């Protein structure tokens, strides 16, 4: 494919000076810069071949041609590219020299370290999940959600079963990352009433909303095709679409650029650091659970206080509205008539106080309890990740080593005791296969530690959210007003 001068300039702005390739992360940022629909970006990415996490010069030129055609409203397909007889249009990407900012400078920065702030995470996307009116199936009614992504500016409809399939595939794709848990699908039997069912449905909506926001803001998940598909696909069968995407991509170890070199970036004392961080996070989790329980009680008290203030005002209004005349026996000295009018006016003030208490309770629920729950969800996903690392990767590695040692002993026995040549060769072949399996498991083990290191960083990036939560408490608002 012949390249025009503009394409050459774009390539020179984006390519790594080390290997003269364009990193996949840089190419993805370039696609985002085009502001083409996400589905179109995905189509272009599918047609561009990435080798070891990067694009060749020819692949980039092909991508630039597809981008330009898509910007003209054409469907970006390879067939269109092959049959195009005119000179390819130029993609609208701004000045090539300004594209250098998209390049990831791995020479100066280790891929192990995350250069993010809490503001970066929170601003990346905000996803709203709302319950839409219930629909009744042939036998059972189900709850459907409208999910709106601020980043992609699109609303789609999802059911709990869609979240369930997405969560299952997310765990398979990112087994070495913090994948938040889903809330239960149904309430326990025997406790279902109309009130408890409504509360359960609302609680599940809140939990699903926390789940999808943690996923949408994760620095790796957010750029993954499967996650983008879940947030944006508006077709009729999202579950099969997700399975198709996962089948094409596989798990992260197969697609992450530095997966097989993870050991090179790990500090020598990674196990000691991991143990220290895990203990610290265990203590933080314990305290945050207590804070959440206390905040829930505070919110309940605020709502109870609002109800009491409203009832108090109502009784004052009843007293003030009483039109019965004051008996002549006390009318000359009694001030009850005037006081009665004052009580009626005072009841309005109690209504206003009740409204403020209700607002305070809602703020404590939405800004304090809900944010504490979000951080607790993150902490739980970290615990689950640690368990997967220890019970999964490490355990499988140890089992493979044990199996290998058994095979070696069998080989030594076969060397001493005469056996058929075919059985000896078969055993040697199995030993070689096991050695390859162990080598792959060792690479996965180091990659698992690499991911654990990054996920620990991510958890601590979220920690300053504590100050955001505290600032929403009424006592801190009063303190701040006095200080200022």
């Amino acid at each position: 494919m012949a390249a025009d001068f503009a394409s050459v300039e774009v390539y020179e702005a984006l390519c790594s000076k080390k290997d003269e390739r364009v990193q996949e992360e840089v190419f993805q940022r370039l696609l985002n810069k085009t502001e083409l629909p996400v589905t179109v970006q995905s189509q272009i990415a599918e047609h561009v071949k990435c080798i070891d996490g990067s694009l060749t010069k020819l692949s980039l030129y092909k991508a630039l041609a597809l981008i330009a055609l898509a910007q003209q409203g054409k469907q970006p397909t390879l067939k269109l590219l092959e049959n195009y007889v005119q000179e390819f249009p130029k993609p609208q990407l701004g000045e090539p020299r300004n594209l250098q900012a998209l390049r990831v400078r791995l020479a100066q920065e280790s891929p192990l370290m995350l250069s993010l702030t809490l503001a970066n995470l929170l601003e990346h996307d905000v996803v709203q999940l709302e319950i839409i009116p219930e629909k009744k199936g042939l036998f059972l009614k189900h709850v459907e959600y409208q999910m709106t992504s601020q980043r992609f500016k699109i609303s789609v409809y999802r059911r709990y079963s869609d979240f369930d399939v997405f969560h299952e595939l997310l765990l398979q794709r990112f087994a070495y990352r913090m994948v938040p848990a889903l809330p239960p699908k149904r309430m326990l039997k025997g406790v279902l009433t109309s009130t408890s069912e409504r509360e359960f449905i609302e609680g599940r909506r809140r939990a699903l909303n926390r789940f999808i926001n943690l996923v949408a803001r994760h620095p790796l998940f957010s750029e993954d095709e499967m996650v983008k598909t879940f947030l944006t696909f508006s077709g009729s069968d999202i579950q099969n679409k997700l399975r198709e995407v996962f089948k094409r991509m596989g798990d992260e170890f197969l697609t992450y650029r530095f997966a097989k070199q993870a050991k090179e970036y790990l500090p020598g004392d990674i196990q000691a650091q991991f143990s220290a961080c895990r203990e610290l996070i265990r203590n933080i989790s314990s305290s945050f659970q207590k804070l959440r329980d206390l905040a829930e009680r505070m919110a309940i008290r605020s709502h109870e206080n609002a109800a009491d203030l409203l009832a108090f005002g109502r009784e004052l209004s009843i007293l003030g509205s009483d039109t019965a005349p004051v008996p002549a026996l006390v009318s000359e000295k009694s001030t009850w008539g005037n006081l009665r009018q004052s009580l009626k006016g005072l009841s309005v003030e109690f209504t206003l106080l009740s409204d403020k208490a209700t607002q305070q309770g809602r703020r404590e629920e939405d800004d304090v309890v809900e944010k504490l729950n979000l951080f607790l969800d993150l902490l739980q996903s970290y615990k689950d990740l640690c368990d997967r690392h220890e019970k999964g990767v490490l355990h499988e590695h140890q089992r493979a080593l044990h199996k290998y040692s058994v095979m070696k002993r069998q080989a030594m026995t076969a060397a001493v005791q005469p056996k058929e040549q075919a059985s000896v060769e078969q055993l040697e072949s199995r030993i070689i296969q096991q050695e390859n399996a162990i080598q792959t498991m060792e690479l996965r083990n180091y990659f698992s530690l690499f991911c654990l290191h990054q996920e620990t960083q991510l958890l601590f990036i979220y920690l300053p959210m504590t100050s955001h939560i505290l600032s929403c408490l009424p006592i801190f608002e009063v303190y701040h007003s006095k200080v200022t």
Side-chain angles (χ1 to χ4, degrees):
M1 176 183 289
D4 57 29
F5 181 68
S7 297
V8 173
E9 280 191 315
V10 172
Y11 166 73
E12 290 177 349
L14 299 180
C15 80
S16 166
K17 304 306 179 187
K18 183 178 179 181
D19 56 9
E20 296 186 345
R21 289 173 175 264
V22 176
Q23 297 164 15
E24 189 176 1
E25 299 98 319
V26 177
F27 174 61
Q28 189 58 56
R29 292 181 184 183
L30 180 72
L31 278 178
N32 293 339
K33 184 178 175 65
T34 64
E35 296 186 354
L36 289 167
V38 177
T39 51
V40 176
Q41 292 183 32
S42 298
Q43 284 179 307
I44 294 171
E46 286 176 16
H47 296 318
V48 178
K49 189 175 182 181
C50 287
I51 302 173
D52 294 331
S54 59
L55 285 73
T56 62
K57 184 188 294 187
L58 185 61
S59 294
L60 179 68
Y61 290 160
K62 183 189 293 185
L64 292 174
L66 289 170
I67 288 170
L69 292 169
Q71 287 176 333
Q72 290 186 348
K74 297 180 174 66
Q75 193 71 13
T77 63
L78 291 179
K79 187 175 181 181
L80 174 63
L81 212 57
E82 290 166 0
N83 298 333
Y84 206 82
V85 293
Q86 303 173 22
E87 182 181 350
F88 287 116
K90 297 178 182 178
Q92 302 302 310
L93 301 169
E95 289 294 324
R97 62 175 177 271
N98 295 334
L99 298 178
Q100 291 181 2
L102 302 176
R103 193 193 307 160
V104 180
R105 294 181 292 277
L106 292 173
Q108 290 85 21
E109 298 177 10
S110 166
L112 182 66
M113 305 309 295
L114 300 179
S115 54
L116 292 167
T117 64
L118 178 62
N120 296 147
L121 295 175
L122 298 181
E123 292 169 1
H124 193 66
D125 198 0
V126 176
V127 184
Q128 294 290 341
L129 198 69
E130 300 297 338
I131 297 173
I132 63 175
E134 290 182 354
K135 291 184 178 181
K136 291 190 176 181
L138 188 59
F139 299 107
L140 297 170
K141 63 182 180 180
H142 66 263
V143 177
E144 195 168 10
Y145 305 95
Q146 182 180 35
M147 184 170 67
T148 306
S149 166
Q150 193 177 89
R151 175 188 177 191
F152 296 111
K153 298 177 176 59
I154 189 170
S155 292
V156 293
Y157 298 95
R158 298 286 180 260
R159 293 175 59 180
Y160 180 89
S161 58
D162 300 328
F163 279 91
D164 197 24
V165 170
F166 175 58
H167 180 258
E168 179 186 342
L169 294 174
L170 202 61
L171 273 173
Q172 293 178 47
R173 171 118 176 87
F174 294 104
Y176 310 121
R177 302 286 179 182
M178 290 190 296
V179 178
L182 282 184
K185 182 177 182 179
R186 293 186 179 90
M187 288 186 66
L188 295 173
K189 291 182 179 179
V191 295
L192 195 61
T193 64
S194 59
T195 303
S196 62
E197 183 181 16
R198 285 196 302 272
E199 290 175 351
F200 171 77
I201 289 172
E202 172 57 17
R204 189 176 66 179
R205 183 201 66 80
R206 285 175 176 265
L208 289 172
N209 195 70
R210 296 195 301 269
F211 163 81
I212 196 60
N213 273 283
L214 285 173
V215 170
R217 292 167 181 169
H218 191 287
L220 281 167
F221 298 171
S222 61
E223 301 305 323
D224 188 72
E225 185 183 348
M226 191 170 71
V227 175
K228 289 180 178 179
T229 299
F230 187 73
L231 289 171
T232 61
F233 182 72
S234 57
S236 59
D237 196 350
I238 178 63
Q239 297 182 19
N240 278 333
K241 181 67 175 177
L242 290 171
R243 291 188 182 100
E244 287 173 11
V245 174
F246 173 74
K247 188 176 180 181
R248 187 168 64 248
M249 303 180 74
D251 80 311
E252 186 191 8
F253 179 76
L254 302 175
T255 58
Y256 190 77
R257 185 179 182 187
F258 301 101
K260 294 179 181 178
Q261 293 83 40
K263 182 180 178 181
E264 300 172 15
Y265 299 102
L266 292 173
D269 61 342
I270 180 63
Q271 293 289 2
Q273 287 189 32
F274 170 54
S275 298
C277 285
R278 194 174 183 185
E279 182 61 29
L280 176 59
I281 288 168
R282 188 181 290 115
N283 295 335
I284 290 172
S285 179
S286 176
S287 293
F288 266 82
Q289 285 177 351
K290 293 173 184 174
L291 287 172
R292 189 272 315 275
D293 293 344
L294 290 167
E296 282 182 339
R297 284 159 52 187
M298 290 164 61
I300 290 170
R301 284 199 298 269
S302 293
H303 284 297
E304 289 175 345
N305 188 35
D308 289 343
L309 286 167
L310 188 63
F312 201 95
R314 192 179 298 117
E315 292 302 323
L316 289 178
S317 179
I318 291 170
L319 281 173
S321 301
D322 185 7
T323 57
V326 179
L329 180 66
V330 295
S331 60
E332 292 183 3
K333 298 180 179 180
S334 175
T335 59
W336 176 243
N338 294 330
L339 181 59
R340 193 161 53 185
Q341 291 298 320
S342 300
L343 291 177
K344 189 174 182 180
L346 194 59
S347 68
V348 177
E349 298 298 323
F350 273 85
T351 302
L352 294 174
L353 288 173
S354 174
D355 290 341
K356 288 183 179 180
T358 300
Q359 291 171 13
Q360 178 180 319
R362 287 174 183 163
R363 285 199 64 189
E364 287 166 347
E365 285 177 342
D366 297 338
D367 296 334
V368 181
V369 176
E370 197 59 21
K371 287 179 180 177
L372 285 169
N373 275 327
L374 180 124
F375 194 68
L376 283 170
D377 289 348
L378 192 67
L379 288 166
Q380 184 59 50
S381 68
Y382 183 81
K383 291 179 185 177
D384 295 341
L385 173 61
C386 294
D387 289 342
R388 285 200 301 275
H389 173 73
E390 291 184 340
K391 297 175 183 177
V393 180
L394 289 180
H395 184 63
E396 287 177 9
H397 188 209
Q398 289 166 359
R399 269 182 17 186
L401 288 173
H402 175 71
K403 186 177 179 181
Y404 177 71
S405 66
V406 170
M407 287 181 177
K408 292 293 284 184
R409 283 198 298 270
Q410 289 174 348
M412 290 173 65
T413 304
V416 175
Q417 300 174 0
K419 284 193 174 183
E420 294 182 9
Q421 184 65 25
S423 63
V424 173
E425 289 177 356
Q426 187 179 20
L427 181 60
E428 288 176 350
S429 175
R430 286 173 55 205
I431 288 174
I432 292 171
Q433 290 176 5
Q434 191 64 14
E435 285 174 346
N436 292 334
I438 288 172
Q439 186 178 12
T440 301
M441 286 182 188
E442 285 178 348
L443 290 174
R444 282 186 174 272
N445 180 43
Y446 286 120
F447 182 58
S448 179
L449 285 169
F450 179 96
C451 295
L452 258 175
H453 195 295
Q454 288 191 326
E455 298 303 285
T456 305
Q457 293 175 61
L458 185 61
L459 193 61
F460 278 87
I461 291 171
Y462 264 104
L463 262 178
M465 194 168 63
T466 310
S467 60
H468 292 222
I469 296 169
L470 293 176
S471 66
C472 297
L473 290 169
I475 189 171
F476 278 87
E477 290 182 350
V478 173
Y479 173 76
H480 181 72
S481 63
K482 285 183 178 179
V483 171
T484 54

